[in-house]
Amino acid sequence: MPELLIELFSEEIPARMQLRGAATLERAVNKALLDAGLMPEGVKAFAGARRLSLVATGLPARQPDRREEKKGPRVGAPDKAVEGFLKSAGLSSLDQCERRADKKGEFYVAVIDQAGSDTAALVAGFMPDIIAKLSWPKSMRWGTSSSDDGDLKWVRPLHRILCVFDGEVVDFKIGRLIASDKTEGHRFMAPGEIQTRSFDDYSTKLRAAKVILDTQERKEIIAGDAATLCQAQGLELVEDAGLLSEVAGLSEWPTAMIGAFDEKFLALPDEVLTASMRGHQKYFSVRDPNTGGLANRFICVANIEAPDGGAAMREGYERVLTARLSDAWYLYNQDRKISLEDRVKDLDKVTFFEGLGSVGDKARRVAALAKEIAPAVGADPETAARAAILAKADLVTGMVKEFPELQGVMGRYYYLAESGLGVQAPSFEAFADAKAPQDEGRGNKNRPHPEVPAKRASKDGRRAPDLQIADAIRDHYKPAGQDDAVPTAPVSVAVALADKIDTLTAFWAIDKKPTGSSDPFALRRAVLGVIELVLANQVRLEFVPLIEGQLLEVMRTIAAAHTEEIESLITALEEFLNRPLGDIRTQTAMSPEVEELAQTLGERISRAGPALMAFFYDRLKVYLRDKNHKYDQIDAVLARSDNKFEDDLVLIVAKLTALEAFLKTDDGANLAAAYKRAVNILRAEEKKGALPGDLVVDAGHFAEPQEKSFFAALCDAEAKVEKAVGSEDFEAAMTALAALRAPVDHFFDKVTVNADDAALRANRLALLARLRAATARVADFSKLEG
C-alpha cells in the first residue's frame, strides 16, 4: 500500500527539543490521518540535528466514501431551530431530510453522503497547518514583515519541505517554501541535493550522504565506539544517558575520539572535572578502574570523519578543555582562600525570593528547625544546626556560580578540607567512613548574621562530627528526584527535612502554591522528598505543629521587612493563633500598624497551615498509589473521626499495611461487609432523625443470645484493639477485629435491629455504633469499596 514521507529540513534544532518535536509531529499527522478516515498501518517520526522526518505506511490512495447522519429537531419544532439545523447540515429544505421516530416522537435526520477525497489532497490540506502550529518550547521568526515567511514561527528557519505520497510530490506551500521531493545530506561531507520518493530510498541515500536518520542508532554507535576506545586503554566510560542523548542530537554522523588532559588536573574533585567536560564541552568522563576515580582522558564526539583521523580536532578539543580546567583550578583555589564559615555572612546579600528575605534568613530558619528535628532522627541537635547553617554557604563560591549543579557537592569538599579531612593542596585523600562520637556546639539564630556553632574536637582529635556535617551539606538537597538516593545519615536527614519543610512553608505563606501543571518552585517534588525521607528512615514527626511553628518563623522574616517591633509582633501572632485578635490589644503593647500586620499575617498562618497539610495528603496519596496501594484503603487509614490530619506518616503506612493484609483474609472481607451493613443502618436512622443522641449499650436490655455474644466479643475486641493501637501493633488490632466476624454475622442473621420496641431498637443501634467506633481506631471502613 502507498506510504507518506515527510521531512522538515531546517537549521540546527537544539538537541533537547528534537525528540519532543518528532513526537509532536507524529501525533499531529497520525491524528489528521485518522480524522480523515485514513487508517495507517504505522506512523513513525525521526529527529536529527537538521531535520524532522516521518513515514506513514499502509495508507489507501483515496479516502473512503462516507455517510454522515445528523439528528435534528423534533417535527413541529420552532422555525429558528429548524433553520439552524439546516444551516449546520448544509441543506436548504426539510424535504432533503428523513423523518424518524423514537419513544419521544418524530424528529428530522439529515443524511449526508460525502465522496472520499484523494489522500494526497487531504495531506496537502492539513500539512501546512501542522507545520505552522508545531509546538516548540521556544520558536523564532526569520522573515521580514513583507516577506512570505514573516508570520511563520518555527524552532529554527526552515529551508526545505519534502512531502511525497505514493511516489508523487504532494503539492502545498507554506510561506516561501514549496513542498518537493528533495533534501540534503551532511552539511560538510555530502552537502549536495538528494532526490527521493520513498522511505527506503530516502534512508539509504541519507546514509550514503553521511546522515544516520534514527536517534537510537546514533546513540548506540556513540556508546559502542566510546566503550571500545576506553577498553583499548584499560579504562571505563562513565555512562551518562542525558549527555548521550544530547550528543546524539548534535551529530548526524557521530565519530567518537579519545583525548587527554594534564594529570595535574586530577587533583580537582571528580565532580568538577565532569562538570567542566560535560557542561561546557559535551565530553564524556573516563574512569580508571584501578583507582575508582577519573582518568586524565575524555571522550568527545565529532560530526565529521576527518581525513587526518581526527588528530587536528583532538588537539583542538584538548586545548579548549585545558583552558576550561585551568579556570576550574583557579576558581577552586580562590574559593579555598575563604572558609565556609566566613562566607555565611554573604548569604544575607542573596535574595531567596521576593518577600521571603535572604538566603541567610532561610539558613537561620533551617538551622533552628534542623535542631528541633534532630532528636527525632537520632542526630545531635548542635551538629545538625551547624550543618544547616553551613549548607548554603557554597552558593556564594565561584565554583558554584560557574557550575550551579555542584551546589552542596563543593560545600562538602571545602568543609572537609577546612576540617583537616582533606589535604590543603587541591587534591583530596580518602577519608574514613567509620562513624565516630557526635560533636557538640552552640548557635544563636537571632544574631544579625548566621552564626556557625563552634566546633569541638572529639577525644581522638579528629572532630568526627565533621564527616556528618560534610555529608549533610552535600545531601540536604536530596532526594532531588524520583530516582535520587534518599539520605539515611541522621544529620543529613535532619537538615534535608528542615530545608524542604522551610521551603514549603515559605511559599505557602505567600500563597505561591502549585496550580494545575505549573510548579515553578518544585514544591510537589519537595513534598515527595519529605515523604521519602520520613518513610525511608522511619522518622516519627508530628507535622501539624511543626508546620505551624515554621510558618511562624517565616512570618517573622516577612514581618522584618515591615517593622522593627518583631518580638511584639511575633507574640501577637502566637496569641492570634489561639484567641481573637481583639484580646491582643490589651495583652500586647504595639502600634496600630503592627497590630494590623499581626492580624494579616496571623490570618495567613491560619489558612496556610491546613492548606499545606491538605497538599501533603494529596501527594502522600499519589506516592502510595505509585507503590501499588489501593486508593480506597489509603483513604480509609487517612480518615479520622475528629476530622483532623493524621500527620504521623510512619503510622499511616503501618496502618495501611495491616489493613491490606487484613482485607485479604476471609474474616477481614466479611467483617468489612458487615461493617458497611451496620453503618448503612445507622445512617438511615440518622437521615430519618430517629437515631437517639446518646447511644449507650445496656446489657440488661438484651433479648437475644446473639446480642449478648456480640456484645461480649465487642468488649473483648475493644480492649485488645486499644492495647494494640497504643503499642502501634496494628496487625494485632486487626486480629482482634477479625474475631468479631462470627458474632457479627450471627447478630445480623438472628436479630432485627429496627425492632418495634424503642428501647430495644436503641440498644441494638448502640451496639452497631460501638462496632463502628471500634474499627475506627484503625481505619474508616466506610471508605472501602466493594
Side-chain angles (χ1 to χ4, degrees):
M1 293 183 74
E3 68 177 18
L4 172 66
L5 173 62
I6 299 168
E7 182 197 77
L8 308 178
F9 185 83
S10 71
E11 294 184 16
E12 275 75 3
I13 303 170
R16 68 182 185 281
M17 301 183 188
Q18 292 172 13
L19 293 180
R20 177 177 173 178
T24 303
L25 177 65
E26 183 177 307
R27 285 194 301 270
V29 172
N30 191 49
K31 182 178 185 301
L33 292 172
L34 293 176
D35 289 346
L38 305 171
M39 304 294 290
E41 292 178 359
V43 178
K44 185 175 182 180
F46 303 88
R50 297 201 296 161
R51 68 197 81 222
L52 294 184
S53 308
L54 178 141
V55 60
T57 58
L59 289 170
R62 184 179 180 82
Q63 181 187 41
D65 296 340
R66 291 185 295 175
R67 165 168 286 200
E68 180 183 356
E69 293 187 355
K70 189 178 183 69
K71 185 177 179 180
R74 60 180 174 80
V75 174
D79 290 343
K80 289 290 185 182
V82 172
E83 290 175 8
F85 166 63
L86 291 174
K87 184 176 180 180
S88 67
L91 303 178
S92 58
S93 168
L94 288 176
D95 294 338
Q96 297 173 278
C97 299
E98 296 181 5
R99 292 173 62 160
R100 298 180 187 176
D102 58 15
K103 61 182 180 181
K104 294 183 179 180
E106 280 192 306
F107 57 91
Y108 293 107
V109 175
V111 180
I112 306 167
D113 290 318
Q114 292 183 335
S117 301
D118 290 338
T119 299
L122 293 170
V123 172
F126 63 65
M127 276 309 301
D129 190 57
I130 288 176
I131 295 171
K133 294 181 179 178
L134 198 66
S135 175
W136 299 96
K138 290 185 178 180
S139 299
M140 62 181 291
R141 287 190 177 93
W142 60 92
T144 63
S145 58
S146 60
S147 71
D148 291 338
D149 296 332
D151 294 329
L152 182 60
K153 290 176 61 179
W154 222 61
V155 61
R156 292 293 184 270
L158 277 169
H159 288 289
R160 292 179 181 272
I161 298 174
L162 182 152
C163 190
V164 176
F165 176 73
D166 197 16
E168 298 295 332
V169 175
V170 178
D171 185 22
F172 67 87
K173 178 181 179 182
I174 179 168
R176 62 178 173 77
L177 299 175
I178 300 173
S180 70
D181 58 357
K182 296 180 177 63
T183 184
E184 296 179 23
H186 193 283
R187 180 187 291 274
F188 303 110
M189 293 191 290
E193 192 175 80
I194 298 171
Q195 185 174 21
T196 180
R197 294 201 171 192
S198 72
F199 178 73
D200 287 342
D201 183 60
Y202 169 75
S203 58
T204 301
K205 286 182 176 178
L206 279 183
R207 186 176 292 273
K210 306 300 182 180
V211 175
I212 297 174
L213 191 62
D214 187 21
T215 302
Q216 185 59 37
E217 183 181 353
R218 295 196 299 272
K219 289 168 65 174
E220 290 172 358
I221 289 171
I222 294 169
D225 290 352
T228 300
L229 290 170
C230 292
Q231 290 169 6
Q233 298 191 23
L235 303 172
E236 297 175 349
L237 179 70
V238 177
E239 294 184 2
D240 189 329
L243 180 58
L244 179 60
S245 295
E246 185 173 7
V247 172
L250 294 173
S251 55
E252 293 187 308
W253 191 259
T255 304
M257 293 182 287
I258 191 166
F261 56 86
D262 197 314
E263 284 190 1
K264 71 177 183 180
F265 292 119
L266 293 178
L268 290 168
D270 284 355
E271 292 88 347
V272 173
L273 296 174
T274 297
S276 296
M277 289 188 280
R278 186 188 197 279
H280 290 304
Q281 303 306 124
K282 313 303 178 189
Y283 299 166
F284 291 87
S285 301
V286 175
R287 182 187 298 112
D288 183 345
N290 297 317
T291 64
L294 295 186
N296 63 324
R297 297 289 188 275
F298 63 89
I299 294 291
C300 55
V301 179
N303 187 31
I304 188 173
E305 288 181 346
D308 62 353
M313 287 192 296
R314 184 182 299 106
E315 181 181 348
Y317 292 148
E318 292 175 348
R319 184 171 59 251
V320 173
L321 181 59
T322 297
R324 293 292 187 183
L325 295 180
S326 296
D327 290 344
W329 180 286
Y330 172 78
L331 291 172
Y332 179 81
N333 281 281
Q334 290 298 110
D335 288 345
R336 287 279 301 278
K337 293 177 180 179
I338 304 174
S339 69
L340 287 181
E341 295 183 15
D342 292 336
R343 290 185 182 277
V344 167
K345 62 180 181 295
D346 293 333
L347 296 176
D348 279 342
K349 302 174 186 177
V350 182
T351 300
F352 172 55
F353 189 80
E354 184 178 0
L356 292 174
S358 67
V359 177
D361 293 323
K362 178 176 176 61
R364 285 186 283 272
R365 294 196 305 267
V366 173
L369 184 57
K371 188 174 182 179
E372 181 182 347
I373 291 173
V377 301
D380 174 64
E382 299 298 339
T383 304
R386 176 176 173 77
I389 210 73
L390 291 173
K392 305 292 184 184
D394 67 350
L395 294 178
V396 293
T397 63
M399 190 69 78
V400 173
K401 289 178 181 177
E402 180 71 14
F403 302 108
E405 67 271 24
L406 296 183
Q407 60 183 358
V409 173
M410 292 314 302
R412 180 179 187 273
Y413 278 118
Y414 292 147
Y415 186 80
L416 286 173
E418 293 164 12
S419 303
L421 298 176
V423 297
Q424 297 305 308
S427 62
F428 295 93
E429 298 174 341
F431 47 85
D433 291 328
K435 294 183 178 179
Q438 292 184 330
D439 200 358
E440 294 181 0
R442 184 174 298 277
N444 181 359
K445 66 182 177 62
N446 295 318
R447 294 290 180 88
H449 296 290
E451 178 182 334
V452 181
K455 297 183 288 184
R456 295 182 184 176
S458 59
K459 291 181 180 179
D460 64 358
R462 284 182 55 83
R463 296 197 202 107
D466 286 331
L467 289 174
Q468 304 169 33
I469 293 171
D471 287 345
I473 292 172
R474 178 194 60 196
D475 295 340
H476 80 281
Y477 293 105
K478 296 181 179 182
Q482 189 173 9
D483 300 323
D484 199 13
V486 179
T488 56
V491 175
S492 298
V493 172
V495 180
L497 280 172
D499 183 54
K500 290 171 177 58
I501 291 171
D502 178 77
T503 298
L504 290 164
T505 52
F507 283 104
W508 251 258
I510 60 173
D511 201 29
K512 293 290 184 181
K513 304 184 290 288
T515 55
S517 60
S518 175
D519 186 13
F521 311 115
L523 300 178
R524 292 188 180 96
R525 187 174 68 188
V527 169
L528 287 175
V530 171
I531 291 170
E532 289 185 311
L533 283 162
V534 167
L535 295 181
N537 295 282
Q538 295 291 289
V539 180
R540 309 303 297 273
L541 288 174
E542 294 181 356
F543 277 97
V544 170
L546 202 65
I547 285 172
E548 288 181 350
Q550 199 61 16
L551 279 168
L552 202 61
E553 291 300 315
V554 172
M555 293 303 176
R556 184 192 296 269
T557 299
I558 295 173
H562 298 279
T563 177
E564 296 180 357
E565 302 176 62
I566 297 298
E567 294 307 322
S568 174
L569 176 63
I570 294 301
T571 301
L573 285 172
E574 291 171 335
E575 293 171 355
F576 177 86
L577 295 176
N578 296 299
R579 58 180 64 87
L581 185 61
D583 294 343
I584 299 178
R585 188 175 290 103
T586 60
Q587 298 177 31
T588 306
M590 58 182 174
S591 65
E593 292 80 6
V594 176
E595 180 179 323
E596 182 180 355
L597 182 59
Q599 181 170 3
T600 300
L601 297 184
E603 289 171 350
R604 279 196 200 177
I605 294 177
S606 299
R607 293 192 304 267
L612 181 51
M613 279 307 303
F615 187 71
F616 257 94
Y617 261 34
D618 289 341
R619 304 319 299 170
L620 178 61
K621 290 179 182 179
V622 171
Y623 174 83
L624 293 174
R625 284 200 295 269
D626 288 344
K627 299 295 182 182
N628 297 319
H629 296 288
K630 295 182 178 179
Y631 70 91
D632 59 326
Q633 296 174 6
I634 296 170
D635 289 340
V637 298
L638 288 176
R640 282 181 41 156
S641 58
D642 57 5
N643 293 322
K644 293 184 178 179
F645 291 105
E646 176 61 75
D647 57 358
D648 187 336
L649 305 187
V650 175
L651 198 69
I652 289 170
V653 173
K655 286 184 178 181
L656 179 59
T657 302
L659 178 63
E660 288 176 337
F662 176 63
L663 293 175
K664 289 178 182 178
T665 66
D666 290 339
D667 286 345
N670 289 328
L671 181 62
Y675 169 89
K676 287 192 174 183
R677 183 175 177 183
V679 169
N680 288 336
I681 293 172
L682 291 170
R683 286 176 178 169
E685 294 300 306
E686 288 172 348
K687 189 174 182 180
K688 293 187 296 185
L691 190 66
D694 186 17
L695 288 174
V696 178
V697 177
D698 184 350
H701 277 78
F702 292 148
E704 302 291 343
Q706 289 80 11
E707 293 175 276
K708 297 178 181 178
S709 60
F710 177 24
F711 182 61
L714 186 58
C715 290
D716 182 59
E718 285 173 335
K720 291 179 179 178
V721 167
E722 188 69 26
K723 181 179 178 181
V725 170
S727 61
E728 299 183 2
D729 186 353
F730 297 108
E731 291 185 9
M734 292 296 182
T735 301
L737 290 176
L740 292 174
R741 178 213 171 163
V744 171
D745 288 346
H746 294 153
F747 175 81
F748 281 123
D749 288 343
K750 302 296 182 181
V751 176
T752 301
V753 176
N754 289 321
D756 294 334
D757 186 301
L760 196 59
R761 182 172 66 253
N763 205 44
R764 290 171 178 172
L765 290 172
L767 269 175
L768 299 185
R770 284 274 289 269
L771 173 64
R772 178 170 61 182
T775 56
R777 294 285 288 127
V778 180
D780 184 352
F781 279 47
S782 66
K783 302 288 186 181
L784 300 176
E785 293 188 352

